[in-house]
Amino acid sequence: MKLLVTGGAGYVGSVCAARLLEAGHEVVVLDDLSTGHADAVPAGARFVQGDIADVIGEVLAEGFDGVLHFAAKSLVGESMQDPGKYWTGNVLTAIRLLDAMKEHGTPKLVFSSTAATYGEPREVPIPETAPTHPTNTYGATKLAIDHAITSYAQAFGIAATSLRYFNVAGAYGHIGERHAVETHLIPLVLQVALGQREHIQIFGEDWPTEDGTCVRDYIHVTDLADAHLLAVETSVAGEHRIYNLGNGTGFSVKQVIDTCREVTGHPIPAVVAPRRAGDPAVLVASAERARTELGWKPERADIAGIVRDAWEFTKTRQGA
Ligand code: UFG
């Protein structure tokens, strides 16, 4: 298939582009490099630098079998302080994309959605049928796009899939997480191990969990990317399917820090800080639907393996 990967210079998008190429697909990456890195675009992909709002019509006019849409703003904290950036950058951009797909008859879409669409869960592990009450603007914009995709899929026969990621981590060889503003737990802990920060803050030790710290479902970025391949291959015209992607096992902040200590051999000092606004206590996925309908089998669920891959990437970047 000839596939357009928007946001293919970012963390998840670039790993996905690499896996699509390995599977024999033709890949064009469209990215404005506002947060991505040109050197993350895999060799073999054609790179178009530009803003979706400006160039999507022109790009899709070439003729594509599908779009994998990763390009988005994705900082939860920032989304609360600057909501317009998220409603415009995420929702308006996605509508432009959908309109262009309609105009040029692009048949398939895979969208990068999020567990943040569910908000505080009433049921754990979280199934796709759970109510969606996002607790932050970021999650609200992704949910709005999911609704828009349902409408466009039904009206114009697009074969659409939304993949709701839980906590993505790990690295795929030389492609890993490198955000200008890092807010995610594992890369921050590894920065302590590298000596780039003195300690890691634990945001709250009084949560209703076994050790008092928040529990999350960490998924290896390569397993996540592989679900996109299955989604683009199996989607059905006129249907919008939604799948959660996680391993179904939760790890607490303290367990993650302990794993990082084991993997890096560094003591990694930790200090307890106040809770972070908007954090749910526990987010764990039920990915049964992805397993049964997509035939998805995550192969890198071991948390130590996920941290080890992130650590290898982090050390290499440091040496680079
Ligand atoms: N945490 C700390 N200290 C830190 C950073 C994070 O204790 O310095 C804690 C957070 O409070 C949270 C956990 O580590 O309990 C994981 O936090 P991350 O920031 O790594 O990830 P989140 O769970 O907040 O969010 C991620 C993505 C979202 C997505 C969500 C879905 O960033 O886009 O997973 O599960 F919606």
Side-chain angles (χ1 to χ4, degrees), residues 202-209 211-214 254 272-275 281:
I202 296 175
F203 295 148
E205 206 181 22
D206 55 350
W207 296 92
T209 60
D211 66 15
T213 65
C214 288
K254 284 187 176 171
V272 177
R275 288 182 178 196

Side-chain angles (χ1 to χ4, degrees), residues 100-118:
M101 289 180 66
K102 174 194 147 198
E103 191 183 332
H104 297 288
T106 315
K108 286 169 177 275
L109 173 67
V110 180
F111 173 58
S112 173
S113 188
T114 170
T117 51
Y118 295 111

Side-chain angles (χ1 to χ4, degrees), residues 114-116 138 165-167 183-185 188 200-203 214 216 218 253 276 279 283:
T114 170
Y138 165 68
Y165 311 164
F166 282 64
N167 288 59
T183 62
H184 292 134
L185 180 64
L188 286 174
I200 185 74
Q201 291 187 314
I202 296 175
F203 295 148
C214 288
R216 294 289 183 270
Y218 293 87
V253 172
R276 187 172 69 176
D279 270 348
L283 277 180

Side-chain angles (χ1 to χ4, degrees), residues 170 186 190 256 259-260 263 302-312:
I186 292 176
L190 295 179
V256 170
T259 305
C260 293
V263 168
D302 172 42
I303 187 73
I306 293 174
V307 169
R308 205 172 298 119
D309 284 356
W311 178 232
E312 287 306 319

Side-chain angles (χ1 to χ4, degrees), residues 2-304:
K2 181 177 176 185
L3 300 167
L4 179 68
V5 177
T6 74
Y11 170 43
V12 178
S14 57
V15 174
C16 214
R19 299 295 279 183
L20 289 167
L21 285 163
E22 281 166 27
H25 297 293
E26 181 183 348
V27 174
V28 177
V29 165
L30 172 60
D31 198 300
D32 66 1
L33 297 185
S34 58
T35 51
H37 307 270
D39 63 359
V41 176
R46 176 151 62 89
F47 178 43
V48 178
Q49 186 178 346
D51 189 329
I52 291 175
D54 301 331
V55 301
I56 192 66
E58 196 185 317
V59 172
L60 286 185
E62 270 183 33
F64 280 87
D65 298 301
V67 178
L68 292 99
H69 181 47
F70 297 95
K73 305 288 166 209
S74 63
L75 296 175
V76 170
E78 182 188 59
S79 77
M80 302 302 282
Q81 279 137 26
D82 191 359
K85 188 169 177 180
Y86 283 70
W87 287 104
T88 306
N90 291 355
V91 181
L92 272 187
T93 302
I95 303 297
R96 292 251 169 83
L97 169 67
L98 286 164
D99 280 334
M101 289 180 66
K102 174 194 147 198
E103 191 183 332
H104 297 288
T106 315
K108 286 169 177 275
L109 173 67
V110 180
F111 173 58
S112 173
S113 188
T114 170
T117 51
Y118 295 111
E120 190 72 53
R122 294 186 198 153
E123 167 185 7
V124 176
I126 304 172
E128 292 82 356
T129 49
T132 42
H133 298 296
T135 52
N136 54 63
T137 304
Y138 165 68
T141 62
K142 290 279 183 170
L143 181 60
I145 298 167
D146 276 343
H147 288 313
I149 292 173
T150 304
S151 309
Y152 277 71
Q154 285 169 356
F156 309 115
I158 296 171
T161 311
S162 288
L163 299 175
R164 291 189 172 158
Y165 311 164
F166 282 64
N167 288 59
V168 189
Y172 183 61
H174 71 287
I175 314 175
E177 241 178 317
R178 43 185 172 128
H179 300 116
V181 183
E182 191 51 76
T183 62
H184 292 134
L185 180 64
I186 292 176
L188 286 174
V189 176
L190 295 179
Q191 285 178 5
V192 181
L194 270 182
Q196 292 174 342
R197 58 178 70 230
E198 274 178 24
H199 57 254
I200 185 74
Q201 291 187 314
I202 296 175
F203 295 148
E205 206 181 22
D206 55 350
W207 296 92
T209 60
E210 210 159 291
D211 66 15
T213 65
C214 288
V215 170
R216 294 289 183 270
D217 185 339
Y218 293 87
I219 170 171
H220 196 290
V221 66
T222 315
D223 283 335
L224 187 85
D226 289 350
H228 294 71
L229 264 83
L230 294 167
V232 80
E233 282 161 5
T234 61
S235 58
V236 173
E239 288 187 22
H240 179 205
R241 298 180 174 175
I242 297 179
Y243 299 102
N244 288 342
L245 295 179
N247 286 308
T249 309
F251 293 93
S252 72
V253 172
K254 284 187 176 171
Q255 286 175 318
V256 170
I257 297 171
D258 279 341
T259 305
C260 293
R261 287 178 177 134
E262 280 160 29
V263 168
T264 64
H266 188 282
I268 308 181
V271 297
V272 177
R275 288 182 178 196
R276 187 172 69 176
D279 270 348
V282 179
L283 277 180
V284 175
S286 165
E288 271 318 298
R289 189 185 278 181
R291 285 170 184 270
T292 52
E293 291 185 17
L294 288 179
W296 180 62
K297 286 191 218 80
E299 282 166 9
R300 302 158 191 87
D302 172 42
I303 187 73

